[in-house]
């Protein structure tokens, strides 16, 4: 059931980050495990979120971003 999300993936979320910037619904995965460490691509804010909560709010996963970095 759980998604294959790895460091370097970009997650497009169902809801925007409160910063309200143009890329506020895109998050870069900095760490994955029981929790995700994500960085908002709008404002650069880093935060931890439980995996279960994050997976409910994911619209799509862009794993091609891993090859770019």
């Amino acid at each position: 059931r759980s998604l294959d999300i790895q460091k370097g993936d970009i997650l497009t979320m169902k809801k925007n980050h409160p910063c309200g910037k143009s890329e506020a619904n895109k998050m870069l995965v900095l760490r994955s495990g029981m929790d995700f460490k994500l960085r908002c691509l709008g404002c650069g804010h880093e935060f931890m979120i439980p995996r279960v909560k994050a997976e409910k709010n994911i619209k799509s996963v862009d794993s091609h971003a891993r090859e770019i970095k």
Side-chain angles (χ1 to χ4, degrees):
R1 157 93 178 107
S2 87
L3 301 165
D4 179 34
I5 297 171
Q6 298 176 5
K7 182 179 174 185
D9 288 352
I10 293 180
L11 309 178
T12 303
M13 309 302 271
K14 293 177 185 171
K15 295 181 181 176
N16 285 353
H17 185 248
C19 71
K21 302 267 172 63
S22 61
E23 294 282 300
N25 69 334
K26 297 194 184 308
M27 306 290 167
L28 174 66
V29 178
L30 301 175
R31 187 174 84 86
S32 67
M34 286 295 291
D35 298 314
F36 287 141
K37 184 170 186 178
L38 302 176
R39 177 186 295 145
C40 172
L41 293 182
C43 66
H45 181 75
E46 294 182 7
F47 57 95
M48 298 287 287
I49 184 172
R51 182 180 200 103
V52 177
K53 187 174 179 186
E55 286 185 348
K56 286 180 185 174
N57 292 311
I58 294 171
K59 191 189 296 183
S60 67
V61 179
D62 180 14
S63 53
H64 300 295
R66 265 185 267 167
E67 285 88 48
I68 296 169
K69 297 200 173 210

